[in-house]
Amino acid sequence: MDRKPIGLVFPGQGTQKAGMGGPWRETPSWELVGEISEVTGEDLRELLLDTPDEHLRRTDLAQLAVFTVAVVAYAEAVRRDALGGPVAAVAGHSLGEYAALTAAGALTLPAAAALVAERGRAMRAAAEQHPGTMGVLVAAPLEEVDGLVGRIRADGAELWVANVNAPGQTVVSGSAEGVDRIEAEAPAIGAKLIRLQVGGAFHSPYMAPAAERLRIALKNTAFAPVHLPVVANADAGVYRGDCDWPALATRQLTSPVLWEPGVRALTGPLGCRRLVEIGPGKALAGLIRRITPDTEVVSLNSPAALG
């Protein structure tokens, strides 16, 4: 195998589905599920094997499920030497940033699991306090979306850009009125809005109560002073431990996930020649192919995919 420098990428909420732990149940790395259950107070075995889709849409449960499968898949890939090259850097999409920080050595698994549990509960509470929704705009440049969002907000509807995912794919977040408005006006910029089945207006100011609650948990968590390079969602900056992760992770809840510039950081200055998606689904691989079509990308989303 040509062992090119690789970047590891970890998916976020929205990739969960019923029975998602089943393929991993017979692997040695499945033992991590018990460790995460003990730390978080949730029965992750039941969550990953027997919980129906409608319950997995609850943001706190979805986040724990996706995080757990991602770290089990990563541990199993390392055990089998299936990554395919030396790891140059890591990144994760929204929730996936916590699996990335774990893989980078910035957080221990128990610390990361505890933060994911607190993050999910805080975001659920904030969404109940201030209900909102999200949608993805396809087929329009970011500049056009940004301009339309700004005009709608100036007219009094609460709406923000939440994810800069890829060329022609931007997620917006805000009030039901704001998302209704941009759905109606999207054709004016050649776009179409697809509504997302989510529990709140994530990555927007609606998450301010969750950010404050998470900030306290982050401040009480030990981050390693040196770790593998991690590309942060909040600013697409590259950090090796010389940073304030509590501030970056807190900011992530209320500001856009800069995924497209983050991928460009991985494949540009960080020199990743292959990107390896680890965890459920193939959503990130699809985005990466739109961002940088010449970059090799593979999805290790099942034991069979580990070869």
Side-chain angles (χ1 to χ4, degrees):
M1 181 184 292
D2 177 15
R3 296 180 69 84
K4 304 173 183 177
I6 65 168
L8 306 181
V9 295
F10 295 88
Q13 188 174 339
T15 55
Q16 72 276 0
K17 64 178 182 179
M20 63 194 290
W24 302 99
R25 189 177 189 176
E26 301 304 320
T27 66
S29 300
W30 181 254
E31 68 181 13
L32 298 176
V33 174
E35 184 176 345
I36 296 170
S37 297
E38 186 173 343
V39 169
T40 62
E42 296 282 355
D43 186 345
L44 269 300
R45 292 181 183 87
E46 181 180 353
L47 191 64
L48 295 176
L49 299 174
D50 300 319
T51 300
D53 281 324
E54 58 266 27
H55 293 321
L56 281 175
R57 280 197 286 270
R58 213 178 84 182
T59 187
D60 53 334
L61 300 181
Q63 293 190 41
L64 276 174
V66 172
F67 170 79
T68 302
V69 169
V71 297
V72 167
Y74 170 71
E76 192 63 19
V78 170
R79 192 186 71 83
R80 299 191 192 187
D81 192 24
L83 294 177
V87 178
V90 301
H93 191 286
S94 187
L95 160 72
E97 193 159 83
Y98 290 82
L101 287 165
T102 307
L107 287 172
T108 65
L109 177 57
L115 287 173
V116 168
E118 180 67 2
R119 181 182 190 268
R121 292 165 187 155
M123 290 172 71
R124 183 184 178 203
E128 290 171 351
Q129 177 182 337
H130 207 162
T133 189
M134 302 176 76
V136 56
L137 279 161
V138 296
L142 174 62
E143 295 76 14
E144 296 281 345
V145 174
D146 232 354
L148 180 55
V149 167
R151 291 192 294 276
I152 289 171
R153 198 165 61 244
D155 286 343
E158 294 186 313
L159 188 70
W160 297 271
V161 169
N163 296 354
V164 179
N165 276 343
Q169 189 183 118
T170 306
V171 177
V172 295
S173 183
S175 66
E177 178 195 2
V179 175
D180 286 346
R181 284 277 306 276
I182 201 164
E183 182 176 32
E185 297 184 33
I189 60 169
K192 176 183 178 181
L193 182 99
I194 301 169
R195 290 179 180 265
L196 298 178
Q197 298 300 311
V198 293
F202 304 136
H203 301 294
S204 83
Y206 279 26
M207 289 292 110
E212 179 56 27
R213 180 171 158 181
L214 184 62
R215 183 186 66 80
I216 296 167
L218 287 159
K219 285 290 187 183
N220 292 322
T221 299
F223 287 78
V226 179
H227 54 69
L228 279 176
V230 181
V231 181
N233 285 179
D235 62 0
V238 179
Y239 298 98
R240 297 169 172 82
D242 51 343
C243 69
D244 186 349
W245 272 116
L248 286 165
T250 300
R251 179 178 159 195
Q252 190 224 66
L253 284 189
T254 57
S255 62
V257 171
L258 302 181
W259 185 250
E260 181 183 341
V263 169
R264 297 194 189 282
L266 287 170
T267 59
L270 287 167
C272 300
R273 303 275 68 84
R274 174 189 286 123
L275 296 182
V276 180
E277 178 179 17
I278 301 179
K282 297 181 178 180
L284 296 185
L287 295 178
I288 290 163
R289 291 187 179 105
R290 295 180 66 172
I291 297 165
T292 172
D294 294 334
T295 300
E296 182 183 354
V297 56
V298 296
S299 299
L300 301 185
N301 55 11
S302 69
L306 301 179

